[in-house]
Structures are given as C-alpha cells and as structure tokens.
Amino acid sequence: MGMRDAATPAHPNTETNAALRQHRSLLLILGAVVATAPLSIDMYLPSLPTLQAHFDVDAASVQLTLSTFFIGLAIGQVFYGPVSDRIGRLGPLYFGLSVYVLASAACVLAPTVEALTVARLFQALGGCAGIVITRAIVRDRFAPQEMAQALSTLVMIMGAAPILAPMIGAQLLVYLGWQSIFVFLTVFGLLCIVLIYRGLEESWVPPAQPLHAADVLGTYGRLLGHRRFMGFALAGSTAQAGMFAYIATSSFVFIEIYGLAPSTFGWIFGVNAAGLITASQVNSRLLRRHRSERVLRGALAANTLCGGAMLLMAMTGTGGIWGIAVPLFGAISSLGFSFPNSTAAAMAPFGDRAGMAAALLGTLQFTIAAVVTFLVGYLHDGTALPLAAVIFACGSASYLLLRTLTGPHAAAAA
C-alpha cells in the first residue's frame, strides 16, 4: 500500500474503480473458473443422504467424499503454483480443467462409494488449478492496493455458485438422480475451457530459467517462515474452515435433524451465500476509508461472537432451528470481509512468486478444511452441537492467530 500510495495522485479510489471496470470481463472469466470448486462442493450437498442410502453406507463414508475433495485441493495446489510461475498461467490452467472434466465424468459412472471418493480426489486435483491460478492472475494484473477490491468482486461472482448450486442440485436430484449433478459439473468444466480460450490472455512472462525442486522447496520454506504471510494466511484459512464444517454437515443438520426438505435446505444455503456476497461488496466500499487489517480484525471478532452465540443455542436448545440458522448466517457473512482482506494482505509482497504464494495459501486453507471436516464428521452425534462448537473454535483461533502472528505493525504492513 505504501508504495502504491506514494505514486498515486489525489484520487486513488477513482483509479482503482476504473481499473476494475476495465478488467470486468477478466474478472467474470476468473469468477467462472474459480467457481468450479464451490460448485463441486455445494451442488451435491443435498444428495449426501441419498448417496448414503444408494451405496448403503454410513454418514462418515459419504462425508469422506467431501473430505477427500478438500485433501485433493490442498495437495494439488502445491504443484500448480511453482509450475505456473515457471511456464505461465494458461498451460497449467488448461491441464487442470481437463483433469477436472474427466474426473467429473468418472463420478457419474462410480459404482461404489469408494470409486466416487477416488473420482472426487482427481476432480479436486484438477479443479484446484483454478483456485491457484486465478489468484495469481489477480496478483499479476492488479497493484496491491487494488487486490482486495478485485478479490471482493471475485467473491461476488463466485458467490453465485453457493446460492444456485444447492437449488440446482436439489432439483437435479429429485428429477434426474444424483448422477445428473456430476453431468452438470462436467459440462461446466468444458464451458470454462471455452471461456479461457476465447477471452483470457497470458498474464505472466516467466523467467528464463528451469524449474528446480530445490528452488521450489526453498521458496516454500521462506514463505512458511514469513511471519506476516503466515499470520494473514492462517487467520483467513482457519476462519474459512468453519464454513467448510458448515458445508460438510449442514445437509445432515437441516435435513435430518430439523426435517427440512432438500429444496428448502437449498434456500437456506442460498440465503447464507447471499449474506457472504453482500458482505464482500460492503467490504469493497469499506476499503476506501479503512485499512484492510482493521476490517479483517473486526470481521474475525464478529465471526467468533456469532460462533459463540450458535454454540450457546445448540447447547441449550433455545430457538430451535432459528437459534442455529441466525448466528450461522452472521458467521458465514463475516467471511465476505475476511477472505479478500486476508488473501490480499498475505500475497501483496510476492509479485514474482504469486503462483507459489497462492498455492501455499490454498494448501493451508484446504488442509485445515480437510482436518476440520473430518473432525466435525467424527463428532457427529445427531445434534447441531458439533457444528456449532467447530465454528466457534475456528473463529476464536483465527482471531488469536491474527493478533499473535501479525503483531502491532500489521496495519501498516497491510
């Protein structure tokens, strides 16, 4: 921010808004590509109880298809980051989306829950290219001051996925069966490849040097030892892990415990996603007057308070379904502030290593998500208490990580 502010004329916000308008088509394409991950997660959520009955397995076995997806997202990003820094952004993106399309088709044909789990792993290994490379392209195209606002725009675009996905998934499930959900994802992956071919140009000219494992490991080591990067990365990732716990168990909580129909659950899920989108756009406006670290700190505090209220309601049974749904809405909406600000603040110093910084950021995010989703599945006891406890724990930990690792000069650094 400091370097950008020193060189910017009297009205930096006008320049930032003009840059965002100029890159609107770019952000729309990137939003579609990065939406492959939330679509792959959210669209099949209404079908989890159906999959449990179809394959005649327990709930933990079905939830493993989700946890495995998170593991694939975490592992794959480590490789796409350094490769995209060395050979450019588009080649790895095409490769990843091609793997995603083939794996989505394999999900359609899965004869057992074990085969579905393996196909989901490869679906994630391909789809995670979009997560890494879209963040890297944003870092390539936008100055650090503009990154958080550009990421807020991406949150708005990709936020349409969790609003529409459960609704579409529920309708496909009712009328065409669970396999049709993965047919949809296959077609969507092909559409993304077409959009990239028609409208996306290479944003990174790689250095004229080969890719060495020692260099990659050294760079990752320096990132892991970078206190500011790890502070913002861990705080943002831990907060988001609470959302993934919600994604993993919300269908069981609202459909099995509170007796909602799959279509009604889709609306509940969509309302929470709408709160996330609205918050991301409010965040974009707040950044015109407030430092991103200050907004991030307030968002994590709000997330913790909402998680605490949800835990209290779950423990006492107060309010029934609304006692869970209302604070849950607040906790999920707060992530519209925390995600863009923590991501922009973590990646800002690493323009020449944007791919690797984005990869490590994503790997941390989905490694924590995989652990948390496994934990909330393991604690499943037929009540909303495990979900509430995990969301509160994630919010509390993220706030403490931010305060502890970023230090008193975090605001100036951001």
Side-chain angles (χ1 to χ4, degrees), residues 13-358:
N13 291 326
T14 301
E15 180 180 319
T16 298
N17 293 336
L20 293 178
R21 285 193 297 270
Q22 181 182 357
H23 292 89
R24 185 171 297 168
S25 62
L26 167 68
L27 293 174
L28 286 171
I29 295 172
L30 296 181
V33 172
V34 80
T36 54
L39 279 175
S40 302
I41 295 167
D42 302 333
M43 184 168 283
Y44 94 128
L45 291 181
S47 72
L48 291 182
T50 301
L51 290 172
Q52 181 180 349
H54 176 82
F55 291 118
D56 192 22
V57 295
D58 56 19
S61 297
V62 175
Q63 285 182 325
L64 187 61
T65 64
L66 184 60
S67 298
T68 301
F69 190 85
F70 291 142
I71 292 171
L73 291 177
I75 294 173
Q77 293 185 67
V78 175
F79 298 97
Y80 286 110
V83 171
S84 71
D85 281 340
R86 283 295 186 271
I87 69 172
R89 311 300 186 201
L90 292 185
L93 189 54
Y94 279 124
F95 174 81
L97 287 174
S98 298
V99 172
Y100 173 85
V101 167
L102 293 174
S104 298
C107 290
V108 178
L109 305 174
T112 64
V113 71
E114 291 80 11
L116 180 62
T117 301
V118 172
R120 290 280 288 171
L121 175 64
F122 281 93
Q123 190 185 37
L125 289 172
C128 68
I131 298 173
V132 174
I133 295 172
T134 52
R135 289 177 180 174
I137 291 173
V138 169
R139 182 62 186 87
D140 294 339
R141 294 291 183 90
F142 294 96
Q145 172 68 8
E146 301 165 350
M147 279 184 63
Q149 289 182 275
L151 289 167
S152 293
T153 302
L154 275 185
V155 169
M156 178 187 68
I157 297 169
M158 65 181 288
I163 288 179
L164 298 175
M167 300 178 191
I168 297 172
Q171 296 304 312
L172 291 173
L173 174 66
V174 170
Y175 293 105
L176 298 174
W178 64 266
Q179 293 93 339
S180 63
I181 295 172
F182 294 102
V183 172
F184 181 98
L185 295 174
T186 302
V187 174
F188 186 82
L190 290 170
L191 176 63
C192 287
I193 293 174
V194 172
L195 288 175
I196 294 168
Y197 178 77
R198 293 177 61 89
L200 198 61
E201 297 179 354
E202 182 61 67
S203 63
W204 177 247
V205 178
Q209 59 187 51
L211 183 64
H212 294 297
D215 294 336
V216 172
L217 293 175
T219 300
Y220 278 135
R222 287 189 290 275
L223 287 168
L224 288 169
H226 195 288
R227 187 181 180 92
R228 177 177 179 275
F229 174 85
M230 291 300 295
F232 287 113
L234 288 174
S237 298
T238 305
Q240 264 203 308
M243 182 183 71
F244 289 119
Y246 152 72
I247 289 171
T249 60
S250 58
S251 61
F252 292 99
V253 169
F254 287 107
I255 294 175
E256 292 193 347
I257 297 174
Y258 291 108
L260 295 184
S263 58
T264 306
F265 163 73
W267 284 103
I268 293 286
F269 205 87
V271 167
N272 287 329
L276 178 69
I277 293 173
T278 302
S280 72
Q281 299 315 293
V282 174
N283 177 70
S284 184
R285 294 181 179 275
L286 286 177
L287 291 176
R288 300 174 186 177
R289 297 186 178 181
H290 302 285
R291 292 184 182 274
S292 61
E293 191 272 341
R294 180 180 178 185
V295 177
L296 175 61
R297 186 175 297 181
L300 296 183
N303 183 278
T304 303
L305 291 174
C306 290
M310 185 179 172
L311 179 59
L312 181 62
M313 297 298 108
M315 292 175 64
T316 61
T318 304
I321 188 173
W322 293 109
I324 300 298
V326 172
L328 178 62
F329 173 81
I332 299 302
S333 297
S334 70
L335 299 176
F337 298 98
S338 64
F339 169 74
N341 291 314
S342 61
T343 301
M347 290 186 60
F350 304 107
D352 60 336
R353 292 291 185 270
M356 296 184 69

Side-chain angles (χ1 to χ4, degrees), residues 59-60 63 249 252-253 256-257 374-383 386:
Q63 285 182 325
T249 60
F252 292 99
V253 169
E256 292 193 347
I257 297 174
F374 173 81
L375 177 63
V376 77
Y378 177 79
L379 295 175
H380 180 70
D381 61 356
T383 73

